[in-house]
Amino acid sequence: MDQLDDILHQDLDPTETQEWVESLNAVIDREGTERAHFLLERLVDSTRRSGGYLPFDPTTEYVNTIPPHLEAKMSGDAAMEWRIRTLIRWNAMAMVVRANRKPGELGGHIASFASSATLYDVGFNHFWRAPSADHPGDLVFHQGHSSPGIYARSFLEGRIGEEQLDLFRMEVLGAGRGLSSYPHPWLMPDYWQVPTVSMGLGPIQAIYQAQFWKYLEHRGLMPKTDRKIWCFMGDGECDEPESLGAISLAGREGLDNLIFVINCNLQRLDGPVRGNGKIIQELEGVFRGAGWNAIKVVWGSYWDPLLARDKNGVLRKLMMETIDGEYQACKAFGGAYTREHFFGKYPETREMVANLSDDDIWRLNRGGHDPHKVYAAYHAATNTKGMPTVILAKTVKGYGMGAAGESQNPTHQQKKLDDEAVRHFRDRFNIPVSDEKLKDVPYYHPGKDSPEVQYMLERRKALGGSLPQRRRHTDVKLKAPDLAAFEQITKGTGDREISTTMALVRGMNLLLRDKAIGPRIVPIVADEARTFGMEGMFRQIGIYAPEGQKYRPQDADQLLYYREDQKGQVLQQGISEAGGMASWLAAATSYSISNQPMLPFFIYYSMFGFQRIGDLAWAAGDMRSRGFLIGGTSGRTTLNGEGLQHEDGHSHLMAGAIPNVRAYDPTFSYEVAVIMQDGTRRMLQEQEDVYYYITVMNENYAHPDLPQGVEEGIVKGMYLFKDAGKPKKGEPRVQLLGSGTILREVIAAAELLEKDFGVSADIWSVPSFIEVRRDGFDAERWNRLHPEAEQRVPYVTGLLQGRQGPAIAATDYVREYADQIRAFMPDGMHYTVLGTDGFGRSDTREHLRGFFEVDRYWIAHAALAALAKEGKVNAKDVSRAIREYKLDPEKPNPLTM
Ligand SMILES: Cc1ncc(C[n+]2csc(CCOP(=O)(O)OP(=O)(O)O)c2C)c(N)n1
Ligand SMILES: [Mg+2]
């Protein structure tokens, strides 16, 4: 890069250069910039053909991308907007400072919004449309820790009262009226649409949301519109892999409904983002390389006259040479310092500011603080066709905070301004708060009839209403098909052996046939459709491709060829689970964001789910997502040949930590059917804010018919699969529990126990230990709080009460999974849990289940050991089982291997 800089910035023959530049300018004047571009490309081409090495230079000069004469002019009243912005700034600061003068260490941020206030204001005043009868509305991803500024605007608009501002970060006390620290739809379901404060999740979601909007349009579910997604993010946030990891998709698919606004205040939490470099240049290169329209808003209008006088380019050269650490120091140390250390570097630039006072130099503003420059950039972005836009806006962190925070390294954490700093803030922005009142840092509202508020409201009215706002329910009414519609999978398979994955895919196909719901099914894969037997969908409903299929697929002569289509329904996200998940999130919140209820199924290797994209799954709960996540080839021993990094024995525990996830590990196809039907009903028909996690397996076996009356038990997480009847006198009895494929080992263990030891067993299928656990803890809590009322019996306690013998559970998951319900065993019933603790490895299923001690022999042995403890069988019987079933007592614990 340094070498390239040298080549590009050393002028060996300035006169010759000047002649070329003049010729080019003549072309621009006469025929326009397109013609000039054409000529330049030809010259580059010609140089390359002659053997010249022209490395790609992805960056442009360190000045605004839009030259002053091409700036769209702002239509509003700039003075009024400045005034409004100062009030927003003040109130945002006041809410954080007031919160932190109370006991409790509530935290909050001032400096970030201080740097981005203008970027938000111009959007709110001129660009962002709320949903209305005429427009579906734009979607704004706010930088999470800038939320005080957004609340402050709502306060002026009259949507949030003073007492509510004082409930910032006090949501328990606020009881529904508190203001959440960051954007959280879960906590403020009428206000925030997307959680963003986990850095990187906003940008990746914005990209897939934009793709999903195009998908809805191409598939005819929504009319084509000019609605836009605006994603605000920090320059430091760009370091997260999620932030930039999917930008090439946006470039490739030409997502012109997407605008990133990167607030480049050159600082993150600890210090400079690129002290030794230039973050704006770096990002410009990255985004341009990925096919984005990059608009730099580096300098404010006060620089225009200086730049206009920079005929020999020395100022531009200086701007380019100066690194971010130095730019930060200029803002931290003021005008005199800037004159000396910046302009003073070259005689030409020193001379340029000779007539300016130190204060004038200090006022030379950065682009992101100049509403005119920001407006021009937003205008250009919204009018860009065929590509996404990134706006790189240079700002000052802690703008207006003076010595308390402006461009200071620790400013991100500054939340307790002292009286002097508050006074400075007031004076800097001319806030009408008297000296006496200053110590309380009071909020300031100019009154609802004031010109400021009237102006704001008028602007918002013209743009369709206030923002942010969130839709809780869609008005599209849908009815879930009855269970009868799933007959194909509630009926047994006879001798035919299938996997639960096949059952699930059949279930999806049945839903696809439903006239109303069918088009709303969104199958999403991360390059694993074939793994899960979904390739039939390629042909049948097509793979979404915005450009259609411009080539003849290799397998065109096959029945199930790889069919890409503009109207395709399957979202094939390539090898990106984060992308698949972000895509799923867009579909799963479409009921709210686009008033279009959709039912997404994202199917993936379960190991690459909650573990890999866990933070997006957590955000999914926050966002009140509705849809199915399908953990394919799940279980530590069921996916037999893939080893340690594929064999999942714990995703259910992670799923179970998310409050609104309903997680199931079904064994039989009818269980899959009941869960799918129930989920479709709850999410699409009843519009409950829950989402489902279903693990499915690739092990083939025969499936029985749906037994009578077990539907409710399946949904609640446990039902009696086989009743051994009343025990005969003296016959030992056990209660066997299991889920997923290991339930089949449990069933086989019951046969062994009967045949080899005369022990009978009731068998319980437990498709969700999580649901059973939740019910149990809920009942327990209620009972503690209502000591004199009739006590609730936890569901599992009720089922097992009166049954005889110890209980033994086995699953293909770590022991904690089935152990979750231990507390709710009826009094006196011992509970033994088997599970697959330890790292997976490759071998046959049979060997793996022996290794992890969850096969039929280990289960039967555990049952005998439990009976022996109760004195129902002899220790010798347990030894006989160890001998006859060839269990090695000296085998090391698989946890340690
Ligand atoms: C995944 C994640 N890691 C860390 C944080 C903590 N954090 C909050 S803001 C911040 C600094 C952000 O810097 P930048 O993106 O430049 O935003 P700015 O405040 O400068 O606008 C950090 C590290 C977070 N919110 N999310
Ligand atoms: Mg920053």
Side-chain angles (χ1 to χ4, degrees), residues 115 143 234-237 263-269 273 397:
S115 68
Q143 225 183 321
D235 46 0
E237 183 173 5
N263 174 21
C264 297
N265 54 24
L266 316 186
Q267 291 175 242
R268 44 183 165 71
L269 192 152
V273 177
K397 194 147 179 169

Side-chain angles (χ1 to χ4, degrees), residues 339-525:
R339 181 194 305 280
E340 191 54 34
H341 290 89
F342 179 74
F343 290 108
K345 193 163 169 194
Y346 296 108
E348 291 92 334
T349 46
R350 180 183 286 278
E351 174 55 29
M352 240 178 206
V353 294
N355 292 335
L356 300 186
S357 69
D358 288 349
D359 282 349
D360 288 339
I361 291 181
W362 171 246
R363 269 193 290 276
L364 289 169
N365 54 348
R366 290 188 179 167
H369 293 297
D370 185 331
H372 303 282
K373 302 287 181 194
V374 173
Y375 181 93
Y378 285 8
H379 184 272
T382 49
N383 287 293
T384 298
K385 295 265 179 299
M387 66 203 303
T389 296
V390 60
I391 291 168
L392 300 163
K394 182 159 163 157
T395 62
V396 178
K397 194 147 179 169
Y399 185 79
M401 287 168 76
E406 204 148 322
S407 286
Q408 309 289 308
N409 273 341
T411 192
H412 188 90
Q413 303 287 62
Q414 178 61 280
K415 50 200 98 215
K416 293 186 177 173
L417 300 194
D418 62 19
D419 292 348
E420 197 35 50
V422 171
R423 179 188 308 276
H424 170 89
F425 204 99
R426 180 202 59 181
D427 295 345
R428 167 83 175 77
F429 295 117
N430 251 341
I431 308 294
V433 170
S434 65
D435 282 350
E436 307 81 73
K437 296 217 174 113
L438 216 48
K439 64 176 187 331
D440 299 332
V441 204
Y443 298 118
Y444 180 79
H445 195 291
K448 72 178 193 318
D449 298 324
S450 62
E452 289 87 351
V453 172
Q454 287 305 308
Y455 183 90
M456 290 173 86
L457 293 177
E458 179 277 318
R459 288 312 311 146
R460 286 315 314 164
K461 194 163 158 227
L463 291 162
S466 280
L467 284 178
Q469 57 167 286
R470 180 181 176 279
R471 181 187 286 108
R472 283 190 192 222
H473 301 290
T474 161
D475 14 272
V476 180
K477 299 268 180 284
L478 293 168
K479 193 180 166 324
D482 296 332
L483 195 57
F486 292 85
E487 197 194 345
Q488 219 191 77
I489 51 171
T490 54
K491 269 211 332 246
T493 57
D495 291 338
R496 259 180 334 109
E497 300 198 331
I498 68 163
S499 65
T500 42
T501 306
M502 282 161 82
L504 182 110
V505 173
R506 278 183 198 169
M508 282 172 72
N509 276 311
L510 295 171
L511 283 172
L512 281 165
R513 278 189 218 156
D514 185 283
K515 277 223 158 42
I517 290 179
R520 296 181 180 274
I521 303 294
V522 186
I524 303 171
V525 289

